[in-house]
Amino acid sequence: MTEQGTVVEELVVPTTMDDDPERVRAFCDWLAVSDAAEVAVHGLTELSWKPAEYLPMCHEPGSPSRLFVVRDPDGSVVGSGSYDTKSEPGTTNCWIAVGVRPDRQRRGIGTLLADHIEGIARAEGRTQRKTYAVSRQVGPATGPGFVPAPTGFGAVPEDEAGVRFLTGRGWHFGQVNRISRLGLPADRSVVRALHDRAAAAAGPGYRVHTWTDRTPDAWLDGVAVLHTRMSTDAPSGDMAEPEDVWTADRVRESEEQLAGGPHAMLTIAVEHVASTTLAGFSQLKVPHDPSRAVMQWDTLVLREHRGHRLGWLLKVVGIETVERDHPGRPSIITFNAEENRPMLDVNEAVGFVGVGSEGIWEHRD
């Protein structure tokens, strides 16, 4: 039971870190609780966010984040929640997250937040809700004590608090993402050998391009297609979402928003020479602070161009570019569906090591 009078408070999300100090302080407190709740499960402090890094993502054009907190009577934040959905009419899906400060768990705070945010989702007609619950599990597991993913790849411990919480609320466990880490510097001889093999497999029919931050005008439409296809081509188990259509304007707006953070966005793209269109891309968010880990963002090769080791080529060129242009970072962190064996193959070959998991859960009305 939560204390009498405990309520969920929606934050006014600051526009920048120079916004009203009270708004910024509340946002920082929200993020601290969100991070602490996850680190308490997987122990991976490299996955924690700095406020200035995270804030731009709360203002994604067309899908701004709504943030919620629960406070102790002394005013300190003990619970954090978020609600993300597109503002476009007819949207039926959304993403929900709930975290409770480790020393205040099992007191009804998570239930209070979940009830509140799920109520908002229902009121807005979001009939498909998803959440990502981190896990201490490293690599695939089977047998007693584990809940297997319906995909047949990966599992989560049934005794984890998040698993019990979501199961008790009627959520459906659908998929596992493996969290992998590559310590830097990588073995250059291994990376170079993989680069050469991938380039030979791709042949002269494909050409690699790289850029930082702003997408060249010539590739805007191609990047929009790749972002759109992330919603249809990436492994999603039986939890497919509606197609998320991107346009060149949306790409540019998103880039401009993210540019407000202390990081660079590195894009590796591969062009199909005959059609002069993009066949795949990989993006890495590189922090300005060299002590911070590089975060792998989207990586995708269009279905019609698979079988040429383009995913391998994108991955190794990304590693080489990070180490050449942004030396000194400690690692690259990536998330991949456990059933995405082609991408796990290249990760493992280059030296990525599994360090945790993330269960993806769904609730449909």
Side-chain angles (χ1 to χ4, degrees):
M1 296 289 292
T2 54
E3 289 87 350
Q4 185 175 3
T6 301
V7 297
V8 176
E9 170 191 340
E10 182 167 3
L11 301 184
V12 178
V13 183
T15 303
T16 70
M17 294 301 294
D18 296 322
D19 204 336
D20 177 85
E22 289 299 321
R23 294 180 182 179
V24 172
R25 186 177 300 110
F27 168 73
C28 291
D29 291 344
W30 173 90
L31 183 60
V33 169
S34 178
D35 280 344
E38 293 197 348
V39 171
V41 178
H42 55 47
L44 305 172
T45 56
E46 281 188 317
L47 294 183
S48 296
W49 292 94
K50 298 293 186 182
E53 295 171 341
Y54 195 90
L55 183 57
M57 296 187 292
C58 294
H59 296 286
E60 181 68 30
S63 56
S65 298
R66 294 177 65 179
L67 307 182
F68 304 85
V69 297
V70 172
R71 298 182 185 274
D72 252 350
D74 66 3
S76 60
V77 173
V78 294
S80 63
S82 64
Y83 173 66
D84 291 273
T85 186
K86 291 177 64 178
S87 55
E88 181 180 335
T91 299
T92 58
N93 60 319
C94 68
W95 297 265
I96 291 171
V98 169
V100 178
R101 206 173 72 189
D103 65 328
R104 294 302 310 278
Q105 293 176 359
R106 301 185 66 80
R107 302 189 191 185
I109 296 169
T111 297
L112 183 69
L113 276 163
D115 286 345
H116 185 86
I117 300 172
E118 288 185 46
I120 292 173
R122 291 190 185 94
E124 293 190 350
R126 287 1 182 213
T127 55
Q128 183 199 41
R129 301 182 284 280
K130 278 189 175 182
T131 194
Y132 299 81
V134 295
S135 172
R136 68 178 186 271
Q137 177 59 31
V138 178
T142 58
F146 292 93
V147 182
T151 59
F153 298 88
V156 292
E158 63 183 8
D159 66 346
E160 282 188 332
V163 173
R164 297 196 306 268
F165 181 78
L166 291 164
T167 301
R169 295 183 68 84
W171 284 64
H172 164 69
F173 177 42
Q175 190 181 27
V176 172
N177 277 339
R178 182 187 303 185
I179 308 172
S180 300
R181 179 184 189 274
L182 175 67
L184 298 178
D187 187 320
R188 291 188 179 182
S189 63
V190 171
V191 173
R192 187 68 246 175
L194 291 173
H195 186 157
D196 291 344
R197 288 171 54 194
Y206 294 94
R207 180 184 299 129
V208 174
H209 303 271
T210 66
W211 62 83
T212 300
D213 295 331
R214 189 178 176 87
T215 299
D217 290 345
W219 299 123
L220 270 176
D221 288 335
V223 169
V225 169
L226 290 165
H227 277 302
T228 300
R229 294 282 290 272
M230 278 295 302
S231 66
T232 59
D233 286 22
S236 59
D238 62 353
M239 302 180 296
E241 299 168 7
E243 182 182 41
D244 184 17
V245 178
W246 284 66
T247 63
D249 287 343
R250 182 179 172 188
V251 172
R252 190 64 84 211
E253 289 174 7
S254 180
E255 290 176 342
E256 291 172 354
Q257 177 58 41
L258 290 174
H263 48 250
M265 185 64 76
L266 174 64
T267 300
I268 316 298
V270 60
E271 174 193 4
H272 180 234
V273 175
S275 63
T276 67
T277 60
L278 295 184
F281 77 151
S282 181
Q283 294 189 306
L284 300 104
K285 189 174 183 182
V286 184
H288 292 166
D289 181 351
S291 71
R292 304 279 291 156
V294 175
M295 302 300 295
Q296 175 74 64
W297 278 30
D298 290 345
T299 297
L300 180 75
V301 175
L302 298 179
R303 287 192 180 113
E304 55 269 32
H305 292 283
R306 293 175 184 172
H308 303 281
R309 295 221 168 193
L310 300 182
W312 291 65
L313 189 58
L314 289 165
K315 179 69 72 170
V316 295
V317 172
I319 294 168
E320 291 171 331
T321 306
V322 165
E323 297 215 76
R324 183 190 68 232
D325 297 346
H326 307 277
R329 273 66 182 173
S331 62
I332 299 175
I333 306 292
T334 187
F335 290 65
N336 300 99
E338 278 287 355
E339 64 267 35
N340 191 355
R341 179 37 58 183
M343 191 53 64
L344 291 177
D345 281 344
V346 63
N347 286 346
E348 292 165 358
V350 82
F352 277 90
V353 176
V355 292
S357 296
E358 176 184 66
I360 306 176
W361 297 71
E362 179 187 62
H363 195 293
R364 287 182 180 266
D365 291 337

